[in-house]
Amino acid sequence: MNGVTIGQAAAFVGVTVKTVRHYHKLGLVREPERDGSGYRRYGSAELLRLVQARTLAAAGVPLAEIGSLLDADPALFAAALADVERQLTDRIEELIARRDTLHRLADGDRALLPDRAVVLLERMSGLGFPAEEVAATREGWVLARALVPEGFDDFLTHVEHALDDPRFVALSKRAIEATAWEPDDPRLGELATAIADHFLANPAHLRIVTGLQARTDAAARYHLIAHHGEEQGSAAARGVALVEAKLRAAGIHIPRPDGR
C-alpha cells in the first residue's frame, strides 16, 4: 500500500484521471507497476513529475516539449523555466491591454479616441456647443485620427488653443447657427469672411484647417474630414466652401475636390 491510486493522484495534482493517462501515453510520466492487488500506486516521485507536467502545461508549454524539459539537466531546466516566465509575462501584459480595451469600450468615445480628444469634447459641451454638434465633431475626429494618425495629436493641440479664444468660440457657434439658414442667405457671405479673416489673423487657429491636409497624400482624405456630415447644397456646405475659397484667395493651400 505504498503510494496512492491513479484517482487519488489525479485529485492531488488537480487534473482528471484521463489527463494522467494521457501523460502516461505521451511518456511525460512513468506509469507505475501494479501492486499485489492490481492497483498502480503513485509514489512521491511520480506525484512530483505529475505536478511538474501539469504546471508546465498550464503555463502554456506544449505537451510535446514538456518531456524534454523535465529530462533536461538543472541548468537547462532553469533556463527553460525563465523563458516560460517571459512568455507568461508577455501574455499577462497582452491580457491587461485587452482588459483595458474592454473598459474603454464601455465608453464609446474612449474606444475610438484618445483621452485628450474626449476631454476636448467634454470641454465643448461645457462651452455651450449643442450636443448634436459635439457628436458630429466626435465623428469627424474619429475619421481624422483614422485617416491622418500622424498629425492628429498636433491637431488636438491647435483645437485646445483655439477653444481658449472667445472670438473663435463665438464664430464657431455662429457657424452652427448658420446651418439652419437658407443656402442663399446673404449672411453666409459675411460670416465666411469673418471666419476666414479670423483664421488669417491667427495662424495657430488656421492650422486646425491646414494641419491635417498638409500631411494627407490625397485631397480626398481632406474632404472626407473637412466636409464630414454635410448635405450637398446645404447652408453648411456653402458656408464651408465660401471660407475655403476666401482662404485660397489669400494664398492658403486648401485641396479642391478635383485634387488640385
Side-chain angles (χ1 to χ4, degrees):
M1 302 295 291
N2 184 23
V4 298
T5 65
I6 187 172
Q8 292 169 329
F12 175 81
V13 175
V15 296
T16 64
V17 170
K18 183 178 179 180
T19 297
V20 174
R21 288 182 174 140
H22 188 56
Y23 287 174
H24 289 326
K25 183 178 179 180
L26 295 176
L28 302 183
V29 180
R30 182 185 64 84
E31 190 172 22
E33 298 294 333
R34 296 184 184 275
D35 62 13
S37 301
Y39 291 101
R40 298 188 187 278
R41 297 288 176 175
Y42 291 76
S44 59
E46 289 82 18
L47 288 175
L48 175 60
R49 183 89 173 189
L50 280 172
V51 169
Q52 291 173 328
R54 187 253 186 187
T55 301
L56 290 171
V61 178
L63 292 178
E65 300 176 11
I66 289 177
S68 58
L69 279 179
L70 294 178
D71 294 332
D73 63 62
L76 288 177
F77 184 66
L81 288 183
D83 185 56
V84 172
E85 182 179 358
R86 283 193 295 271
Q87 294 178 35
L88 282 175
T89 299
D90 291 341
R91 287 172 59 192
I92 290 170
E93 291 175 353
E94 180 184 353
L95 289 172
I96 290 174
R98 290 183 182 181
R99 182 196 63 190
D100 291 344
T101 299
L102 288 176
H103 288 170
R104 294 178 72 88
L105 283 174
D107 183 334
D109 287 342
R110 285 185 166 82
L112 299 172
L113 292 170
D115 289 340
R116 283 185 69 197
V118 176
V119 170
L120 282 173
L121 291 173
E122 293 171 349
R123 186 176 172 193
M124 288 179 63
S125 296
L127 288 170
F129 284 86
E132 58 271 19
E133 177 62 23
V134 175
T137 298
R138 173 189 177 275
E139 293 179 358
W141 288 2
V142 169
L143 274 177
R145 188 189 187 200
L147 294 173
V148 197
E150 71 279 6
F152 191 65
D153 198 55
D154 288 342
F155 169 78
L156 293 181
T157 298
H158 302 323
V159 173
E160 285 173 345
H161 293 162
L163 291 179
D164 287 333
D165 187 330
R167 172 67 173 165
F168 175 86
V169 172
L171 283 171
S172 298
K173 290 181 178 179
R174 182 66 169 162
I176 295 169
E177 295 174 4
T179 60
W181 300 348
E182 293 297 325
D184 58 354
D185 193 311
R187 293 176 294 174
L188 278 175
E190 299 171 3
L191 179 58
T193 297
I195 292 173
D197 288 347
H198 178 84
F199 279 137
L200 293 172
N202 297 272
H205 298 178
L206 179 61
R207 283 196 285 274
I208 294 175
V209 179
T210 62
L212 292 177
Q213 60 96 358
R215 295 175 171 84
T216 302
D217 296 329
R221 290 188 181 185
Y222 166 79
H223 285 279
L224 278 172
I225 298 169
H227 299 269
H228 168 72
E230 289 179 1
E231 293 184 14
Q232 189 173 5
S234 65
R238 181 167 182 264
V240 172
L242 287 172
V243 172
E244 290 180 340
K246 292 180 183 297
L247 292 177
R248 289 191 191 101
I252 305 300
H253 175 67
I254 304 292
R256 300 175 184 272
D258 58 9
R260 291 184 291 145

